[in-house]
Amino acid sequence: CRKDTLWKYKEFMPVDETKMVSLDEGGTPFCKCDKLGSELGIELFVKVEGSNPTGSFKDRGMSVGMTKAMELGVDTVGCASTGNTSASLAAYAARAGLRCVVLLPSGKVALGKLAQAMFHGAEVLSVTGNFDEALEAVTALALEKHLYLLNSINPYRLEGQKSIGFEIVHELGWKSPDRIILPVGNAGNISAIWKGVTEFYKAGFIDSLPMMTGIQAEGACPIVNAFRKNTMDLVPTENPETIATAIRIGAPVSSIKALRAIYDSNGFAETVTDDEILEAQKELARKEGIGVEPASAASIAGLKKLVAEGIIDKGEQVVCIVTGHLLKDPNTAINACVEPIEIDADVDALKKVLLNK
Ligand SMILES: Cc1ncc(COP(=O)(O)O)c(/C=C/C(=O)C(=O)O)c1O
């Protein structure tokens, strides 16, 4: 694989690299966003995880998790998913030659993700119920050893995803940013990144740590609710609802790790509305040219809100992680735009429309 993958940090990956299952994941773009940043009075970088092989950060965790599956000699892998985990698992299982079973909440998975899971040959089960119920069912199946579970409850997933933290501090010249902001659903990613930066801190590679800041949709925000009460006790959101279907999760499995990361880093947790998410998604696409799916835009919407609330100080160096590609959810993107103009392929018609002539 090419040199700039997450495997350049293989010494920090607790798996047998001779069993590596890789699609050259990691080494994603780290874009300085001066237009948005100067409007907000901060120094803004965006880590574009939609540039991974299947279009989301999940590939990092899946590469290491699938490598562990090969080490263990399992024949079947599985997950429940709001979409991206299943898309990534299907691709990496195909690469590894393993049987793949995915459970998806029926009618609540964005088109691109469903297409990926199906086309890579996963056995796709459309579950009546939400993600949390699907996860409970597939976990029971795994506990009876019918499959190897690769949801982010599997620690090897977090071992891969912690490389996002490695790359951020590496790209900043072995320095932590003041703050890392990301969307939170099942809460594996914020936990993983905190693990990564603290490992590099303990190794002496960096001498400070970022404030970990998690953003949730207003209709699916158990972590934020716990944070606001300054507690580790999580009250699940019973019927989570948001247009950002990737983070439509009510009972995050990694809530303890995520709350630890937020509290220990002196970080923060905030909610954003669906409208704020859609507005941020379009703003990032049209001001900085970075196309992301709705859940990913929650980190930008959260940044704007926290600056407005005075939680984020002027001049802070902030990294927003945008977790999935725009193409994952084409329907939501098209519904947010005006219809294309129908026109004849004729120069006069073009001049009429474009030049008002
Ligand atoms: C684009 C995107 N952005 C953010 C998240 C939240 O990350 P976690 O807080 O680590 O869960 C997800 C999660 C998706 C799934 O949980 C799944 O695919 O099953 C995502 O796809």
Side-chain angles (χ1 to χ4, degrees):
C1 53
R2 67 181 163 78
K3 66 176 178 25
D4 195 21
T5 72
L6 72 82
W7 291 98
K8 69 182 168 196
Y9 305 113
K10 63 182 186 300
E11 291 78 4
F12 286 80
M13 302 296 159
V15 288
D16 174 359
E17 57 167 298
T18 66
K19 300 278 195 315
M20 185 195 289
V21 180
S22 176
L23 286 163
D24 281 2
E25 51 289 324
T28 53
F30 188 62
C31 298
K32 187 98 185 310
C33 291
D34 289 333
K35 261 184 243 165
L36 263 178
S38 52
E39 281 174 18
L40 296 167
I42 56 142
E43 186 185 20
L44 176 61
F45 292 89
V46 170
K47 185 71 171 160
V48 187
E49 288 300 294
S51 299
N52 276 297
T54 74
S56 86
F57 70 94
K58 304 284 182 180
D59 294 340
R60 295 173 183 266
M62 229 31 102
S63 177
V64 177
M66 199 62 68
T67 300
K68 188 65 189 177
M70 296 305 278
E71 248 188 71
L72 295 170
V74 304
D75 56 23
T76 305
V77 293
C79 75
S81 177
T82 60
N84 281 322
T85 296
S86 69
S88 184
L89 182 66
Y92 282 79
R95 192 148 180 87
L98 299 183
R99 185 185 177 195
C100 177
V101 176
V102 303
L103 276 63
L104 299 176
S106 56
K108 288 290 180 188
V109 179
L111 187 66
K113 308 171 184 180
L114 183 59
Q116 288 176 295
M118 292 167 67
F119 205 74
H120 282 294
E123 292 164 65
V124 180
L125 306 178
S126 185
V127 174
T128 49
N130 63 26
F131 166 83
D132 303 291
E133 290 156 331
L135 182 57
E136 217 172 306
V138 75
T139 303
L141 208 56
L143 290 172
E144 292 179 18
K145 298 200 187 322
H146 298 300
L147 53 78
Y148 183 62
L149 187 65
L150 272 166
N151 276 94
S152 54
I153 195 165
N154 184 323
Y156 292 95
R157 276 276 312 277
L158 306 195
E159 291 303 322
Q161 291 170 209
K162 73 186 180 184
S163 61
I164 299 174
F166 291 167
E167 289 179 10
I168 288 171
V169 300
H170 198 166
E171 312 225 18
L172 287 174
W174 296 107
K175 255 176 54 5
S176 271
D178 296 310
R179 189 184 300 273
I180 295 178
I181 307 180
L182 70 160
V184 173
N186 224 4
N189 211 26
I190 190 167
S191 309
I193 294 167
W194 178 241
K195 186 173 196 284
V197 292
T198 48
E199 282 180 2
F200 270 18
Y201 181 80
K202 286 175 189 155
F205 297 169
I206 51 177
D207 55 15
S208 66
L209 287 164
M211 294 178 277
M212 298 305 294
T213 304
I215 307 299
Q216 295 198 299
E218 208 167 66
C221 60
I223 297 276
V224 176
N225 291 340
F227 172 75
R228 287 174 177 163
K229 295 180 192 135
N230 192 24
T231 174
M232 293 296 284
D233 299 333
L234 191 99
V235 177
T237 298
E238 279 312 309
N239 297 299
E241 271 310 335
T242 171
I243 196 164
T245 51
I247 54 175
R248 185 175 168 267
I249 295 175
V253 290
S254 298
S255 58
I256 301 290
K257 292 176 189 164
L259 287 164
R260 266 277 61 83
I262 294 167
Y263 293 140
D264 292 356
S265 70
N266 191 27
F268 206 82
E270 183 56 281
T271 59
V272 288
T273 65
D274 281 1
D275 286 347
E276 288 167 341
I277 285 173
L278 294 176
E279 187 189 328
Q281 183 192 22
K282 195 174 274 188
E283 197 173 0
L284 185 64
R286 299 189 175 185
K287 283 186 182 167
E288 300 288 355
I290 300 172
V292 303
E293 68 169 283
S296 308
S299 59
I300 302 294
L303 165 68
K304 291 169 64 178
K305 188 169 233 176
L306 292 175
V307 168
E309 289 172 349
I311 301 293
I312 293 183
D313 299 329
K314 294 294 179 198
E316 264 194 41
Q317 186 183 65
V318 178
V319 176
C320 279
I321 298 172
V322 289
T323 44
H325 199 283
L326 174 67
L327 287 174
K328 291 281 191 168
D329 189 352
N331 295 330
T332 302
I334 286 178
N335 292 342
C337 299
V338 293
E339 282 283 307
I341 299 169
E342 295 290 325
I343 189 168
D344 292 337
D346 163 87
V347 67
D348 293 331
L350 289 172
K351 284 197 291 193
K352 194 154 174 289
V353 166
L354 297 174
L355 311 176
N356 245 338
K357 280 184 180 169

